[in-house]
Amino acid sequence: MTEQARRTGRDESEDERADRMWGELLQEVRVAQMGVQILFGFLLTVVFTPKYDTLGDTNKTIYIVTVVLGATATGAMIGPVSLHRLVSGRRIKPQAVTWASRLTFVGLILLLATSASSLLLILRVATHDGYVPWLVAGVVVWYLLCWFVLPLWTRRRYTE
């Protein structure tokens, strides 16, 4: 067995591995992009509703931060598509996969922050109760478990 096959678990060249990983990454990005785009689109409409004018300064600040986080998450999640388009045919797919993967990871972090701040704003407006930060913290912990802790545990547990 070659060193390459041992390292990847497959008998594939660096280019074949990059092609496979690019395809897998695109599937992951498609799922996350949909969520980011729907959330960001919703956020953009809030400022045009009558309820927005009744928000206090703190809630308006949370809204602005949330919109900026949504915009940055959208940029990071669409970034791999632009990266691929601009470097396609340049024989640097392994490097493109690495950078696209990093952009996707940053996009997931920003999506987590956007979701948390959106939830904070919505629950503050809907309930005005002191338990809202605890609910949001619980959801963030859940996201962290689902998105990062379980995958990292799985990687550690089942990778030699």
Side-chain angles (χ1 to χ4, degrees), residues 105-123:
F105 185 78
V106 168
L108 289 173
I109 298 290
L110 291 167
L111 175 58
L112 184 138
T114 305
S115 298
S117 60
S118 297
L119 186 61
L120 178 64
L121 178 62
I122 290 166
L123 292 177

Side-chain angles (χ1 to χ4, degrees), residues 10-84:
R10 300 169 187 256
D11 189 16
E12 57 189 4
S13 70
E14 184 180 14
D15 287 340
E16 290 169 333
R17 183 170 192 258
D19 288 341
R20 178 180 55 81
M21 291 180 70
W22 184 258
E24 292 172 0
L25 181 63
L26 279 183
Q27 292 302 322
E28 295 164 6
V29 167
R30 282 186 184 120
V31 172
Q33 271 182 350
M34 178 76 69
V36 167
Q37 290 171 336
I38 290 170
L39 180 56
F40 186 53
F42 166 75
L43 288 169
L44 292 176
T45 66
V46 171
V47 74
F48 300 107
T49 64
K51 182 81 171 175
Y52 182 80
D53 291 332
T54 67
L55 294 178
D57 289 342
T58 300
N59 286 338
K60 284 183 179 178
T61 300
I62 293 170
Y63 171 73
I64 291 166
V65 167
T66 303
V67 168
V68 170
L69 285 169
T72 57
T74 300
M77 294 307 294
I78 293 174
V81 175
S82 177
L83 176 70
H84 181 263

Side-chain angles (χ1 to χ4, degrees), residues 96-107:
V97 168
T98 298
W99 282 103
S101 180
R102 289 174 183 165
L103 275 171
T104 303
F105 185 78
V106 168

